[in-house]
Amino acid sequence: MNIDDVKKILVVGSGAMGSQIAMVCALAGYEVSVQDISEESLRKAKESLHYHMKRRVDKGKLTQSQVDEAFARLGFTTDLTAVARDADVVIEAIIEKLETKRQLFSELDQLTPARTILATNSSTIVSSKLADATNRPDRVCNMHFFNPALVMELVEVVRNPQTSQETVDVIVELSRCIGKIPIVLHKEISGFVANRILGALTDEAISLYEQGIASIEDIDLACMKALNHPIGPFALMDLTGIDVNYYVRMQRMQETGDPALGPKKSVIEKFEKGEWGRKTGKGWYDYRGDSNK
């Protein structure tokens, strides 16, 4: 397979990441299907994408014609079998739980053509943990986008020990075709490059807060005004989801057996309360009443 063979893309998972990845691909001219087991999630995904696209048209970043054409190429469904049978590339963007992903990859292996590349958007679960659930480990890799996928330019392409060079080349070129900037990781490591660096900063930010050194607001302000970050670590966790932070750290702790790598105490408290950030209306900050959440 080469990049010219990629015509149809399937995104599994219609959350914030999955839906925006799908729209990025549709805007680039690909036929895209978004599949999810939840009709409600698909409905919310459509509403969110229409909102974001309207804002882009209003700001002159896109024309209404470009948006209409992208939506015409974009389908939403709960029927995995129907959309998997002719997919050239699948991008998985479901919950960060290993067994759930393994079950999905095993199913995709049965449903998709033998040529199809199966990529995971996960930045925590390396693709070698999914590849052996398929009969095509050479066509499995990580294709990690950053949140919000409509805006962030970088894509991390990570090969597992069995990933073929052909697969890497196609995913790198696909990333470029959809307007992203790819980097290639030649070895697997949980968290990859950007999130390992960000994780160290986030851990320190949470530690400073838990020790009572400074408030959430002031820690975020320090990162923005002294380090020139566009958003502080607490606001960023609210954007990406405190539940994602929790699952990521639980996975890392389970992999290493080191409790120190698990989620921080205050993250566990937020997770158990269901205060997961913007998606639930409250996280480190309160978004209830925010019409743009």
Side-chain angles (χ1 to χ4, degrees):
M1 177 186 284
N2 60 53
I3 189 59
D4 293 331
D5 298 319
V6 179
K7 308 295 183 185
K8 295 185 178 182
I9 297 172
L10 166 60
V11 179
V12 182
S14 63
M17 285 302 296
S19 61
Q20 292 198 19
I21 291 169
M23 179 53 77
V24 166
C25 295
L27 285 167
Y30 290 97
E31 289 187 48
V32 187
S33 297
V34 182
Q35 188 275 339
D36 201 295
I37 59 174
S38 168
E39 290 277 10
E40 178 66 9
S41 181
L42 291 169
R43 183 188 65 78
K44 288 181 177 179
K46 283 187 250 187
E47 288 181 356
S48 177
L49 289 176
H50 277 287
Y51 168 77
H52 285 296
M53 291 302 99
K54 183 180 184 303
R55 290 190 65 187
R56 291 196 165 201
V57 171
D58 290 345
K59 292 179 180 180
K61 294 181 178 181
L62 291 171
T63 66
Q64 189 60 53
S65 176
Q66 287 175 308
V67 170
D68 292 342
E69 289 171 5
F71 272 113
R73 290 188 288 265
L74 186 57
F76 299 83
T77 183
T78 58
D79 189 344
L80 182 62
T81 301
V83 289
R85 61 190 173 202
D86 59 355
D88 301 306
V89 173
V90 179
I91 303 171
E92 169 270 312
I94 65 170
I95 192 169
E96 288 292 283
K97 290 186 176 180
L98 177 58
E99 287 309 314
T100 306
K101 289 182 187 289
R102 283 182 60 83
Q103 182 178 351
L104 173 63
F105 269 66
S106 177
E107 189 174 0
L108 287 168
D109 187 50
Q110 299 299 313
L111 295 174
T112 58
R115 70 177 189 279
T116 304
I117 293 173
L118 306 179
T120 173
N121 180 57
S122 178
S123 65
T124 307
I125 298 173
V126 291
S127 68
S128 61
K129 293 183 178 295
L130 306 173
D132 66 351
T134 77
N135 293 307
R136 64 183 88 187
D138 59 315
R139 294 185 176 273
V140 177
C141 68
N142 289 78
M143 185 184 189
H144 177 233
F145 293 76
F146 290 82
N147 195 2
L150 283 166
V151 176
M152 302 297 284
E153 293 182 286
L154 191 71
V155 169
E156 293 174 315
V157 180
V158 189
R159 66 191 314 154
N160 69 63
Q162 298 185 73
T163 306
S164 69
Q165 187 60 48
E166 177 185 290
T167 296
V168 172
D169 291 344
V170 170
I171 296 301
V172 164
E173 193 57 36
L174 176 60
S175 301
R176 293 192 178 115
C177 287
I178 61 175
K180 301 302 182 184
I181 300 172
I183 66 169
V184 177
L185 277 69
H186 303 294
K187 295 181 180 180
E188 292 185 323
I189 185 169
S190 180
F192 308 154
V193 173
N195 278 347
R196 287 185 74 88
I197 295 170
L198 176 62
L201 183 145
T202 301
D203 281 354
E204 186 60 26
I206 296 173
S207 292
L208 290 169
Y209 165 68
E210 290 183 347
Q211 293 174 64
I213 303 298
S215 69
I216 288 167
E217 293 82 359
D218 283 351
I219 293 169
D220 274 359
L221 196 59
C223 291
M224 290 188 288
K225 299 304 180 183
L227 305 180
N228 205 29
H229 292 187
I231 187 172
F234 291 100
L236 182 58
M237 276 187 279
D238 277 356
L239 179 63
T240 58
I242 292 171
D243 57 323
V244 174
N245 180 286
Y246 174 85
Y247 287 128
V248 163
R249 300 314 293 262
M250 286 295 290
Q251 178 69 28
R252 195 169 295 176
M253 180 176 67
Q254 290 165 5
E255 286 179 356
T256 63
D258 185 354
L261 295 180
K264 297 285 190 181
K265 178 182 176 182
S266 56
V267 170
I268 295 173
E269 291 173 354
K270 288 287 183 185
F271 177 81
E272 291 179 345
K273 288 180 181 177
E275 296 176 355
W276 296 353
R278 287 182 174 269
K279 67 178 73 174
T280 60
K282 186 178 181 182
W284 301 110
Y285 296 93
D286 193 334
Y287 303 91
R288 291 169 295 187
D290 180 358
S291 61
N292 292 324
K293 73 176 184 293

